[in-house]
Amino acid sequence: MWQGAVLADSADLVARDGVVYFPPDAVDWRYLQRSAKRTWCPWKGRARYYTVAVGDAVGRDAAWTYPRPWPWSGGLRGRVAFGPPIMIDVPPPAGMKPRPA
């Protein structure tokens, strides 16, 4: 959730390098606008970025996906990740207790 909008919701998550990736059908694409930014990762491939806009709040290039990742990237094809300023709240796995504050 960001700025009161649920950007993505799914239990089918993939985590890589501290980043959580959502399946594309779990993303509310109304809030994402394709940006011109592209980056290259030698382990995952070329990333395509999206600007996230909710009302007047804009997170420039705050979401990305790997449309055609390398085969060894572990199932990232088409999945969407979110970065700053968007924080992902993922509950701990079943049976795991959260750390005390």
Side-chain angles (χ1 to χ4, degrees):
M1 179 131 79
W2 186 60
Q3 301 295 320
V6 176
L7 302 178
D9 188 17
S10 178
D12 178 18
L13 305 173
V14 172
R16 295 284 180 273
D17 305 318
V19 177
V20 176
Y21 293 85
F22 291 86
D25 62 349
V27 175
D28 191 337
W29 291 95
R30 293 177 300 166
Y31 300 114
L32 278 65
Q33 302 163 356
R34 189 178 286 189
S35 77
K37 182 175 180 177
R38 305 282 188 273
T39 60
W40 176 258
C41 173
W43 299 280
K44 298 174 198 144
R46 183 175 306 276
R48 174 181 294 151
Y49 285 77
Y50 295 84
T51 292
V52 180
V54 177
D56 292 334
V58 176
R60 187 163 170 76
D61 303 325
W64 64 92
T65 185
Y66 292 94
R68 291 185 302 276
W70 299 123
W72 56 83
S73 68
L76 295 182
R77 179 182 294 268
R79 289 181 172 266
V80 179
F82 296 92
I86 298 160
M87 301 301 294
I88 302 300
D89 183 23
V90 179
M96 179 182 256
K97 295 181 182 179
R99 276 192 239 174

